[in-house]
Amino acid sequence: MARPKSNKQYYKWIGICILLILALQIFQSNSSWVETAYSRGFYPIYTYIPKLLFGWLPFSIGDLIYAFIFILLAWTLIKAIVLLFKKQYAQSGKRFLRFIGLLLTFYIFFYAAWALNYYRIPISKQLDIKVDTIKLEDHLSVLEAHIAKANGLREQINITDQDRDKAAGQIQELMLTDQTFPMLSKSQVEIKTPLIGPMASYFGVSGYFNPFSNEAHVNAEMPKTSYPFTVAHELSHQMGIGFEDECNFIAFVKLKDHADPWYQYAAYYESVTYLLRTLYLVDKVKFETYKEQLSPLVKADIKEDQDYWLRYTGWISDISGLFYNQYLKHNNQIEGMARYGMVSRLIIAWEIKKAN
């Protein structure tokens, strides 16, 4: 029979965790260290482990891991509180110490297994994209061109007939053969469907990456319009990119010149929507003017997207959004959810660079 841990052992466990967290804090403060030693050194090698363990499974093991972690932490904390009310202070104290030890352990694994990628050198610096010198006329010029591309591409496709599974496979191959972004890890590039199914929509997510299993997921229930873009976005996370705007940018660049017009349209559709949202914050009159340039089919796609997510809007999606907003702020993205929209400056700067 296993001997129960003493408080001294728990304090030692927690102490080691705190030292490791401090070491991680020092390491992540230097983006060059993170980029060289972690993102391009350790991470591409480490990801072979979850690929070997979980990659071959046709379903998401990560959702089960999330459930296990949540149940384990909740059970440990509830047990500690129950013992406290029963005035069994010694046993309650041990449970609280165990809870803290578990929480810190999962926190360390989260950063060591993937989240240090939040602190690597930004893509704009690695690709020499000037994101701080963008003018309004540049924004409007790119927006107008992208609206024209989206309108033209939408006329060529019937989105209803598109195959999600085929798209996922082709985009995986596209990301594996990438030559544009040398900072991407190619150890594991695979999309899975969440076990939680339609619940993903209630959480307000079109896709997500699980750092505990290194699995990338895309919501198979979402409208097909943006599906290719979401696949490329989540694969970018799996390939070692932390920032949300950078994953959006990679998805845009990888899809905009693809032979399949659906993938091209997904890229320009997302670009146009982000560029319009950014313009709305600057000049609402110009926003309305450029919004009217969208074709009826593109407007219908936007309406379909809005209607779909509106059906799932409620307290679950509200809480999920608040949690994720704070999560992003804690992980080197002080803009929170607004970070997604910052892809606008990357796209504009990229287009300007390509035109020169």
Side-chain angles (χ1 to χ4, degrees):
M1 187 174 181
R3 183 181 176 184
K5 286 187 177 181
S6 65
N7 283 2
K8 184 177 180 180
Q9 289 174 302
Y10 282 120
Y11 286 127
K12 183 178 180 181
W13 177 16
I14 293 171
I16 292 172
C17 286
I18 291 173
L19 289 175
L20 288 173
I21 290 172
L22 290 175
L24 286 172
Q25 292 287 326
I26 294 171
F27 181 74
Q28 72 190 33
S29 66
N30 188 314
S31 58
S32 295
W33 293 352
V34 175
E35 185 67 38
T36 304
Y38 180 81
S39 297
R40 299 200 186 206
F42 170 79
Y43 181 72
I45 296 172
Y46 161 76
T47 50
Y48 282 111
I49 297 175
K51 179 180 181 179
L52 179 65
L53 293 175
F54 313 125
W56 58 275
L57 293 171
F59 60 88
S60 169
I61 196 70
D63 289 351
L64 297 178
I65 292 175
Y66 271 153
F68 170 77
I69 291 172
F70 176 79
I71 292 170
L72 178 62
L73 290 173
W75 171 255
T76 305
L77 182 60
I78 291 170
K79 189 67 176 178
I81 294 172
V82 169
L83 289 170
L84 181 63
F85 277 104
K86 290 183 176 180
K87 297 184 179 181
Q88 298 180 24
Y89 301 119
Q91 291 300 316
S92 176
K94 283 185 179 181
R95 292 282 182 171
F96 274 117
L97 289 174
R98 182 184 299 176
F99 173 79
I100 294 170
L102 287 170
L103 193 64
L104 294 178
T105 300
F106 290 134
Y107 183 86
I108 291 167
F109 182 81
F110 166 66
Y111 277 93
W114 182 78
L116 280 174
N117 286 310
Y118 283 123
Y119 299 91
R120 64 189 304 180
I121 297 173
I123 279 182
S124 59
K125 290 185 178 180
Q126 296 195 54
L127 298 181
D128 192 27
I129 304 174
K130 309 299 183 184
V131 296
D132 298 322
T133 56
I134 296 171
K135 302 175 183 178
L136 179 58
E137 52 262 40
D138 296 326
H139 188 122
L140 297 179
S141 175
V142 172
L143 173 57
E144 188 168 2
H146 285 204
I147 287 175
K149 288 287 293 185
N151 288 345
L153 287 164
R154 186 61 181 88
E155 297 289 339
Q156 302 175 31
I157 56 177
N158 184 337
I159 291 181
T160 306
D161 294 339
Q162 304 304 319
D163 188 325
R164 296 180 197 266
D165 292 336
K166 180 181 177 182
Q170 289 185 340
I171 295 170
Q172 285 169 191
E173 289 299 319
L174 179 67
M175 301 297 282
L176 276 171
T177 57
D178 173 73
Q179 300 296 325
T180 308
F181 301 100
M183 69 289 297
L184 295 179
S185 166
K186 298 178 182 178
S187 304
Q188 179 172 217
V189 183
E190 183 181 2
I191 281 292
K192 290 187 176 182
T193 301
L195 276 181
I196 57 176
M199 276 302 297
S201 297
Y202 283 105
F203 283 110
V205 297
S206 56
Y208 59 95
F209 174 77
N210 188 318
F212 291 97
S213 62
N214 204 251
E215 293 171 308
H217 307 80
V218 174
N219 183 348
E221 305 293 326
M222 65 178 285
K224 290 183 179 180
T225 306
S226 301
Y227 183 81
F229 190 91
T230 305
V231 170
H233 176 104
E234 298 306 330
L235 289 176
S236 298
H237 279 314
Q238 190 178 50
M239 298 171 82
I241 303 299
F243 289 160
E244 300 298 344
D245 58 326
E246 293 184 351
C247 288
N248 278 343
F249 173 64
I250 292 170
F252 169 76
V253 172
K254 292 303 298 176
L255 297 178
K256 73 183 186 69
D257 295 321
H258 196 278
D260 192 315
W262 178 31
Y263 305 166
Q264 290 184 54
Y265 175 63
Y268 283 104
Y269 174 84
E270 288 292 327
S271 171
V272 165
T273 53
Y274 279 117
L275 289 167
L276 281 173
R277 287 172 199 165
T278 305
L279 181 60
Y280 179 82
L281 300 174
V282 177
D283 191 324
K284 293 180 175 61
V285 174
K286 281 188 170 62
F287 164 80
E288 292 295 338
T289 299
Y290 281 89
K291 181 182 175 183
E292 285 307 307
Q293 294 183 20
L294 297 172
S295 73
L297 286 174
V298 176
K299 288 181 180 178
D301 288 339
I302 293 174
K303 181 68 163 53
E304 181 186 1
D305 275 347
Q306 292 174 340
D307 289 346
Y308 175 82
W309 292 109
L310 188 61
R311 290 200 301 271
Y312 293 96
T313 299
W315 67 270
I316 296 178
S317 61
D318 290 343
I319 293 175
S320 175
L322 287 171
F323 170 81
Y324 194 62
N325 190 58
Q326 293 304 312
Y327 165 86
L328 292 177
K329 289 183 177 181
H330 177 72
N331 287 291
N332 204 28
Q333 299 178 83
I334 58 173
E335 307 82 5
M337 295 286 280
R339 185 77 193 205
Y340 285 87
M342 291 174 66
V343 68
S344 296
R345 60 181 191 164
L346 287 168
I347 291 174
I348 295 167
W350 176 263
E351 295 286 35
I352 293 171
K353 181 179 179 179
K354 289 299 179 180
N356 294 334

